[in-house]
Amino acid sequence: MAYNVETPIPSAATSLLELEQRVRDDLACLCYPPANWVVPTASDEQVHDVVVIGGGMCGLVASFALIGAGIQNIRIFDRSEEGLEGPWLTYARMETLRSPKQLTGPAYGMASLTFRAWHVAQFGNDAWAKLDKIPRPMWMEYLSWYRKVLDLPVENGVEVKAIQPEGAFMRLTITGKGARETSVLTRKVVMATGRDGMGHPSIPDFVGDLPEKYWAHSSDEIDFAALSGKRVVVVGVGASAVDNAAEALEAGAAEVRHLIRRKEMPCINKLMGIGSFGFTAAFPQLGDARRWQIMNYSLRTQTPAPRGSTMRVSRHPNAYFHFDAAVESVELDGDEIVIETSQGKSVRADFLILGTGFGVDPLARKELDGYADKILLWQDRFTPPESEENDQLGRFPYLADDFSFLEREPGQAPWLANIHSFNSGAAASLGKVSGDIPGISEGASWLVREIAAKLYSENFDQYWQRLLDYDTPELRGDEWTASPLPDSVAVNDRKQA
């Protein structure tokens, strides 16, 4: 294991099997899975009702919710190998999750599906009480178990290359060693594509002329062992920047210097202070000005790296935090990287790591080539007050209540209503309910309720005919005997008497 926790208790295997039986019993009590109610689509080629792109946390809980809603004609694609979905065992390099261990995450209202239930089944209540934060690899183990115990049909090694309209449907071009065909048709698409699912890694212009062997983004595969004895500069001080700095230091880097444009370290995770069910429920209804106000404030104050991650760096004497030191330019001097800063001082390094996060930009998504520019963005819909301008926030898609894209110009791309952005790109419109652990189940519930309503409305005539054709009797005719009314005159006579 890549983390240090108590070893499983001797009866852990039995306990985990007992938990899995409990999950199955709970699902049976909830009548899961219900019968599929969606009318089949008449077509020469099979048409799926929903295709979910992504088999990580967002894709798993969305798929569980779809099946639980009686929408079973679905496919789930993930480009990664099984067990490597999402960032947890790839470019995520923190030791533990930031989220408190008790959050229910993708459990979707089922106690037996929580991380706590899974952990206690293997390690016991005492170990749960001692656990501080969830080790990152352990979270991936939990998600793999979640997928297994729910029997979610994720197809690994399948990458969606393009999403194109075709009549009333969407055609997905797919590739990869797990692909059984070259394309599929579907009525709805759920892009459960995670942190970079509606954009791309943010790459500053200053590395434009720097050969790629001298730098990497924090989401790239990095050979940290090769950095032993090297001078490393990390741009930024967010969570990913700090985690990558720690990895370089632990691999034996000669020194690691953070170049930080801010004048001081961000220390408060502001959204933690207002997180509640009320906030989650109200955010989509707050109006454009208030939603922008909250998101802009959050982006500007920046979410700090966790305390443990930061101390993982600062405990090394060869780690340095340089504030008010924005990168102005980068160039090569032989094999040395020369970085000019806003302080007028230069820093020399052997390797540069960009902890610059991800940008939201639908135009960067290759799956949407040919019509991404028709997607309504926040900058098209809302003009912020002076001093609240934010180009980054302006590029977020302005979504409908069901996570679907809206058209920049009505009538130009009506098929956008069939693509649901259930990823970090939804944050500006609907809040953090489609990427982060705290609100993921609420987000899945909203998403699936709205998809179900669309599927039903689009085939209303067929459901109406089902109503008309339904002829299974509740009563057989032998449950009662008809009785004549008594004579009215006799009744009146008795009343007069």
Side-chain angles (χ1 to χ4, degrees):
M1 288 187 179
Y3 49 87
N4 294 316
V5 296
E6 296 85 352
T7 55
I9 56 179
S11 60
T14 302
S15 296
L16 192 57
L17 290 175
E18 290 173 350
L19 176 61
E20 292 172 0
Q21 185 57 51
R22 188 172 125 208
V23 171
R24 288 188 284 270
D25 291 343
D26 288 346
L27 291 173
C29 289
L30 295 170
C31 301
Y32 176 95
N36 186 77
W37 56 266
V38 186
V39 294
T41 299
S43 175
D44 293 336
E45 181 179 346
Q46 182 180 7
V47 179
H48 305 289
D49 293 320
V50 183
V51 167
V52 178
I53 304 175
M57 181 179 68
C58 291
L60 292 177
V61 68
S63 301
F64 176 43
L66 285 165
I67 295 170
I71 304 170
Q72 296 191 33
N73 179 23
I74 68 172
R75 300 276 292 275
I76 313 163
F77 298 141
D78 195 283
R79 64 187 178 188
S80 303
E81 296 179 16
E82 183 171 352
L84 294 178
E85 302 88 354
W88 311 110
L89 298 183
T90 53
Y91 64 82
R93 296 180 175 116
M94 64 282 202
E95 290 182 318
T96 66
L97 272 59
R98 177 198 300 273
S99 300
K101 66 181 181 180
Q102 69 271 15
L103 294 183
T104 57
Y108 207 64
M110 290 181 57
S112 57
L113 275 178
T114 59
F115 174 82
R116 176 174 181 168
W118 176 83
H119 186 275
V120 168
Q122 297 177 93
F123 305 105
N125 283 301
D126 289 344
W128 170 256
K130 294 176 183 176
L131 182 68
D132 179 26
K133 298 287 188 181
I134 301 172
R136 168 179 50 81
M138 182 181 278
W139 181 254
M140 187 66 233
E141 287 185 28
Y142 160 70
L143 292 177
S144 296
W145 173 82
Y146 179 101
R147 165 182 170 173
K148 177 178 76 82
V149 77
L150 293 176
D151 195 24
L152 297 173
V154 180
E155 300 174 49
N156 288 94
V158 181
E159 182 174 4
V160 176
K161 303 295 288 185
I163 306 170
Q164 291 291 332
E166 186 170 312
F169 312 126
M170 306 300 295
R171 182 170 291 281
L172 277 59
T173 302
I174 60 176
T175 187
K177 63 181 181 181
R180 304 198 303 260
E181 56 267 273
T182 58
S183 69
V184 297
L185 279 178
T186 185
R187 295 174 65 181
K188 310 295 175 190
V189 177
V190 173
M191 296 183 69
T193 42
R195 185 70 60 188
D196 63 337
M198 199 41 62
H200 54 82
S202 294
I203 308 296
D205 292 338
F206 57 69
V207 295
D209 295 327
L210 188 66
E212 291 187 5
K213 72 175 184 177
Y214 292 99
W215 67 273
H217 187 267
S218 60
S219 64
D220 293 332
E221 289 188 20
I222 299 176
D223 183 359
F224 285 97
L227 299 182
S228 178
K230 304 291 187 181
R231 298 164 298 171
V232 178
V233 164
V234 177
V235 179
V237 76
S240 63
V242 167
D243 292 331
N244 278 265
E247 290 281 327
L249 288 162
E250 291 164 4
E255 65 177 33
V256 174
R257 297 182 182 274
H258 281 276
L259 295 183
I260 308 157
R261 70 171 184 269
R262 294 174 181 271
K263 294 184 178 181
E264 56 188 29
M265 180 77 85
C267 294
I268 301 173
N269 185 354
K270 286 289 189 176
L271 288 184
M272 287 282 287
I274 60 172
S276 67
F277 185 79
F279 174 71
T280 300
F283 186 87
Q285 304 175 27
L286 288 178
D288 291 353
R290 286 182 173 175
R291 287 186 288 179
W292 182 279
Q293 179 182 3
I294 291 170
M295 288 299 298
N296 179 51
Y297 182 68
S298 174
L299 289 173
R300 288 191 174 184
T301 54
Q302 187 178 356
T303 301
R307 172 177 167 80
S309 296
T310 307
M311 294 184 69
R312 185 182 166 201
V313 173
S314 61
R315 66 174 176 240
H316 293 270
N318 54 335
Y320 305 90
F321 295 85
H322 302 294
F323 295 95
D324 195 20
V327 176
E328 297 285 341
S329 65
V330 176
E331 62 180 17
L332 273 182
D333 181 10
D335 271 341
E336 282 189 314
I337 306 168
V338 181
I339 305 167
E340 298 294 336
T341 72
S342 56
Q343 295 184 13
K345 299 177 180 179
S346 63
V347 176
R348 289 179 175 262
D350 303 304
F351 195 74
L352 180 66
I353 298 176
L354 303 175
T356 46
F358 295 92
V360 172
D361 181 7
L363 288 171
R365 300 306 302 183
K366 297 300 182 184
E367 309 100 305
L368 309 179
D369 270 355
Y371 58 84
D373 59 339
K374 301 183 187 301
I375 294 172
L376 182 70
L377 306 180
W378 268 83
Q379 65 192 20
D380 304 319
R381 183 69 175 257
F382 180 71
T383 302
E386 287 187 22
S387 79
E388 287 196 25
E389 297 91 345
N390 189 318
D391 291 341
Q392 178 185 357
L393 187 55
R395 289 191 292 273
F396 275 70
Y398 190 99
L399 301 179
D401 290 344
D402 63 352
F403 295 85
S404 66
F405 295 122
L406 295 170
E407 302 170 86
R408 181 174 292 177
E409 295 183 27
Q412 294 298 305
W415 62 83
L416 288 173
N418 294 324
I419 307 176
H420 303 262
S421 179
F422 192 60
N423 50 47
S424 60
S429 299
L430 299 173
K432 295 196 172 185
V433 292
S434 55
D436 293 342
I437 292 171
I440 191 67
S441 286
E442 285 82 0
S445 178
W446 298 354
L447 170 75
V448 171
R449 184 183 300 112
E450 296 297 329
I451 288 178
K454 274 187 172 180
L455 292 172
Y456 192 94
S457 299
E458 290 168 2
N459 292 106
F460 176 78
D461 289 344
Q462 289 163 281
Y463 295 115
W464 172 250
Q465 192 61 48
R466 279 186 179 181
L467 174 62
L468 298 178
D469 294 342
Y470 185 75
D471 61 359
T472 302
E474 289 283 337
L475 300 174
R476 299 177 181 177
D478 59 355
E479 297 89 354
W480 73 93
T481 301
S483 304
L485 286 170
D487 184 79
S488 60
V489 175
V491 171
N492 288 337
D493 286 346
R494 283 198 299 271
K495 285 183 178 179
Q496 292 173 2

